[in-house]
Amino acid sequence: MPQFGLGFSSKEKNRTADTPLQYNFNEDSDEDFTGSNATISTTTAGLTTRAIKVLTTLANGYAYRECVVMPSTTYRFSVTLVSAQTGSGNKSVAFGTSAGDTTNLGWTVENTPGQKVTGTITTGASQTACFVNLKVQTYNKFACWDDLILEENI
């Protein structure tokens, strides 16, 4: 089953949509994610596993990564919120055509450590890229995410 993991090793970059991939933050670094109004790092502090940490530097900060997708295709996704700071406001996962965008889906995640979110998105008729966004609402607060997968829903 083709998968688009959001991991980080150089051998995984620039894969096409039909290449099977699968990752987690326990095995990889954060170098392929970019922060917008956020500092991105990997951490194990207070966790049983390593995760990507999104610490906001302004309200509504997020980490994002671009993935190659096929037009007019349905994908399923999953991501786990492994830790979140008290008072950090809404956390959300979004899929869109640009960084921070929710064209394909914007989903608020319950603020409970261990909360796994699963769902589906369908790409547009000419969409060949999808941006995965991990968002935190409140300034100077963080959330940690792990096991982020986007795969074709066959």
Side-chain angles (χ1 to χ4, degrees), residues 2 18 27-28 32 40 51 54 87 89 102 119 152:
D18 59 355
E27 300 168 354
D28 303 303
D32 284 351
I40 310 306
V54 180
T102 60
E152 189 174 349

Side-chain angles (χ1 to χ4, degrees), residues 132-150:
V132 178
N133 305 280
L134 303 172
K135 299 182 174 190
V136 179
Q137 181 181 24
T138 307
Y139 162 72
N140 203 31
K141 300 291 182 173
F142 72 84
C144 298
W145 308 84
D146 199 12
D147 302 322
L148 179 56
I149 297 173
L150 180 64

Side-chain angles (χ1 to χ4, degrees), residues 83-101:
S83 176
Q85 192 171 11
T86 303
S88 56
N90 288 334
K91 267 64 65 201
S92 60
V93 59
F95 298 89
T97 57
S98 62
D101 181 46

Side-chain angles (χ1 to χ4, degrees), residues 12-152:
E12 297 155 350
K13 293 180 183 177
N14 301 318
R15 298 283 180 110
T16 60
D18 59 355
T19 304
L21 303 172
Q22 187 171 8
Y23 316 93
N24 65 47
F25 296 103
N26 214 24
E27 300 168 354
D28 303 303
S29 73
D30 59 356
E31 66 189 31
D32 284 351
F33 271 80
T34 302
S36 177
N37 299 329
T39 301
I40 310 306
S41 61
T42 51
T43 186
T44 56
L47 304 173
T48 58
T49 184
R50 195 169 93 174
I52 187 169
K53 180 178 182 179
V54 180
L55 173 63
T56 59
T57 55
L58 290 173
N60 299 310
Y62 57 94
Y64 67 91
R65 166 128 192 245
E66 183 179 10
C67 299
V68 175
V69 293
M70 295 180 291
S72 302
T73 302
T74 300
Y75 293 88
R76 62 180 165 231
F77 69 89
S78 66
V79 63
T80 303
L81 177 68
V82 294
S83 176
Q85 192 171 11
T86 303
S88 56
N90 288 334
K91 267 64 65 201
S92 60
V93 59
F95 298 89
T97 57
S98 62
D101 181 46
T102 60
T103 298
N104 301 116
L105 177 79
W107 190 317
T108 300
V109 179
E110 183 179 324
N111 195 12
T112 305
Q115 176 74 24
K116 184 174 184 175
V117 177
T118 60
T120 61
I121 64 167
T122 302
T123 56
S126 61
Q127 186 176 353
T128 58
C130 182
F131 286 77
V132 178
N133 305 280
L134 303 172
K135 299 182 174 190
V136 179
Q137 181 181 24
T138 307
Y139 162 72
N140 203 31
K141 300 291 182 173
F142 72 84
C144 298
W145 308 84
D146 199 12
D147 302 322
L148 179 56
I149 297 173
L150 180 64
E151 62 187 355
E152 189 174 349

